[in-house]
Amino acid sequence: MDKIIKIPFLDIKVTKRLVIDLLLHFITTLIIAILLTIYSKNYTWFFLAFLGGVLIDTDHFIDYFLHLEKWNLESFLHGHFIVSRKLYLIFHAWELVILFAILSLYWNFFIVISTSMAGHLLIDTLMHALYSPFSYFFIYRLKHKFFFDKFNYYLFKRQLKNLKKAGLFNSQNEKKLNQP
């Protein structure tokens, strides 16, 4: 089980794994941004790298608000939306990386977005999907009707344990989990 740590200035609890995950995404994106900027001598590429490497995570907000009405930062950071068992993650898709790589043949700035997205997805795969390496293919999730517990059972169970440990899981959540 992941260790829960408290972030005092926000007065919330998160998993140590989440902190490591966010730091790895930031550092990886920063390295890719610096290397591509040095290579291209184009400072716009630095910002495009952050667009691909960091803003990819905005799809977590989409999943959150599809299943929960009320905003709660701690609930969001623990992935509370998993109680719906559905996880779409529309931007976390290797298919998009491939599409942007193809588009870069016509518009070279797409290679920056593609490369930084690939760095992000590689970190996510290593941190969350070793037991289910196809989890970050949109088509694979679609095949499983976006049921998180079907396309990445191990991660689903781990996040569920973390929700319970953080005190963010209640009987109402249990009812949602048991719905077909």
Side-chain angles (χ1 to χ4, degrees):
M1 185 165 328
D2 298 331
K3 182 178 179 184
I4 303 288
I5 58 175
K6 187 170 181 161
I7 300 178
F9 61 92
L10 292 175
D11 196 33
I12 60 171
K13 296 174 277 185
V14 297
T15 63
K16 186 177 177 182
R17 181 183 292 268
L18 174 67
V19 173
I20 292 168
D21 183 63
L22 293 173
L23 283 172
L24 283 173
H25 284 315
F26 179 78
I27 291 166
T28 302
T29 301
L30 184 63
I31 291 169
I32 291 169
I34 290 169
L35 291 175
L36 289 173
T37 303
I38 290 169
Y39 169 77
S40 70
K41 297 176 181 38
N42 182 344
Y43 294 101
T44 305
W45 282 29
F46 186 87
F47 298 104
L48 287 174
F50 269 89
L51 180 72
V54 175
L55 290 182
I56 185 176
D57 275 335
T58 57
D59 58 9
H60 292 292
F61 289 99
I62 295 168
D63 281 337
Y64 183 87
F65 285 113
L66 279 174
H67 304 295
L68 298 169
E69 309 85 38
K70 188 178 170 195
W71 171 252
N72 178 301
L73 179 61
E74 189 171 16
S75 171
F76 173 76
L77 292 173
H78 279 281
H80 198 178
F81 48 84
I82 70 157
V83 297
S84 72
R85 294 179 42 223
K86 296 277 193 162
L87 193 62
Y88 299 97
L89 295 177
I90 59 174
F91 302 135
H92 282 72
W94 285 107
E95 295 90 340
L96 280 178
V97 171
I98 294 165
L99 173 66
F100 291 154
I102 292 168
L103 289 173
S104 74
L105 298 172
Y106 303 99
W107 300 282
N108 64 354
F109 67 88
F110 274 108
I111 197 63
V112 180
I113 297 169
S114 178
T115 303
S116 58
M117 283 179 75
H120 185 105
L121 289 175
L122 182 62
I123 296 294
D124 278 348
T125 301
L126 293 173
M127 296 257 328
H128 310 297
L130 285 177
Y131 298 100
S132 183
F134 297 110
S135 294
Y136 290 101
F137 283 91
F138 187 83
I139 293 169
Y140 184 75
R141 294 192 303 271
L142 177 65
K143 177 185 169 215
H144 293 283
K145 297 182 177 144
F146 302 102
F147 280 105
F148 189 20
D149 55 335
K150 301 289 185 221
F151 69 79
N152 195 332
Y153 180 78
Y154 174 78
L155 182 58
F156 175 78
K157 286 297 186 185
R158 186 179 78 207
Q159 284 199 239
L160 204 54
K161 284 180 187 176
N162 289 335
L163 277 174
K164 290 176 181 177
K165 188 174 180 183
L168 295 169
F169 193 83
N170 56 35
S171 59
Q172 186 178 1
N173 299 142
E174 192 74 49
K175 287 178 191 174
K176 279 186 181 179
L177 272 180
N178 293 324
Q179 292 175 355

